[in-house]
Amino acid sequence: MIKTNKGNLLDVTSGIIVHGCNAQGVMGSGIALAVKQKYPGAYEIYKSIYEANSLFLGDIAWYEVTHGKLFIANAVTQEKYGRDGKRYVNYAAIVQCFKEAISTAYSCRYDLHFPCIGAGLGGGDWYIIEQLINDCDPKDKVSKNLWVLE
């Protein structure tokens, strides 16, 4: 089950912060831009992977903020981006990213923290996305925390 928390996702100090990114090497708006501004190293890793190989749907560009304590999972959940009302988020990519993030969190005993990933600028339906995330952890092995602004 996903637990809802009110506050700023980027105030989290331990665990794994998962946020959605596009495959274009751009973190220009939404949570991705906030991550880029607060944790420039997370953007640098993501950008370097884009420049070296390209980013693909379902990939995660990992960044360690604090050794053994806080990680950023730049989850590539959409190919492109836009503000035209279309759905850019790819539900299969969300599943692939969350399976990896949940597996990592479980093996390292970390909590997962995320926004309504894909439901804002990505144009996805949060009801569907929430179900997909829960389905990635059917035995509810990992603490999953949704962060919404107050």
Side-chain angles (χ1 to χ4, degrees):
M1 289 297 284
I2 296 173
K3 176 184 171 194
T4 301
N5 300 279
K6 292 186 178 184
N8 186 340
L9 169 67
L10 299 184
D11 288 342
V12 170
T13 58
S14 64
I16 300 171
I17 296 174
V18 182
H19 74 102
C21 300
N22 60 66
Q24 304 301 311
V26 176
M27 287 186 178
S29 60
I31 298 293
L33 177 59
V35 168
K36 176 182 175 180
Q37 291 170 338
K38 183 162 184 175
Y39 301 112
Y43 173 71
E44 291 166 13
I45 291 286
Y46 159 84
K47 183 73 170 177
S48 69
I49 292 170
Y50 169 77
E51 290 172 347
N53 308 330
S54 265
L55 295 164
F56 299 99
L57 288 173
D59 288 350
I60 294 180
W62 290 94
Y63 176 69
E64 187 173 18
V65 176
T66 309
H67 181 68
K69 190 170 179 186
L70 180 63
F71 297 83
I72 304 290
N74 298 303
V76 182
T77 57
Q78 56 192 67
E79 183 65 37
K80 299 191 180 198
Y81 57 92
R83 292 181 178 266
D84 52 13
K86 293 180 183 176
R87 178 169 67 89
Y88 287 93
V89 70
N90 180 293
Y91 294 147
I94 286 179
V95 169
Q96 189 172 334
C97 289
F98 270 89
K99 281 184 177 180
E100 180 179 339
I102 287 168
S103 175
T104 301
Y106 180 69
S107 66
C108 298
R109 298 185 182 157
Y110 293 133
D111 292 348
L112 285 183
H113 305 277
F114 47 89
C116 289
I117 191 166
L121 295 173
D125 181 325
W126 176 247
Y127 177 77
I128 293 169
I129 295 166
E130 179 180 30
Q131 294 306 308
L132 293 172
I133 293 169
N134 279 324
D135 287 352
C136 289
D137 187 16
K139 294 185 180 178
D140 208 25
K141 294 179 179 180
V142 173
S143 175
K144 293 173 291 303
N145 298 282
L146 168 68
W147 288 86
V148 295
L149 292 175
E150 294 182 83

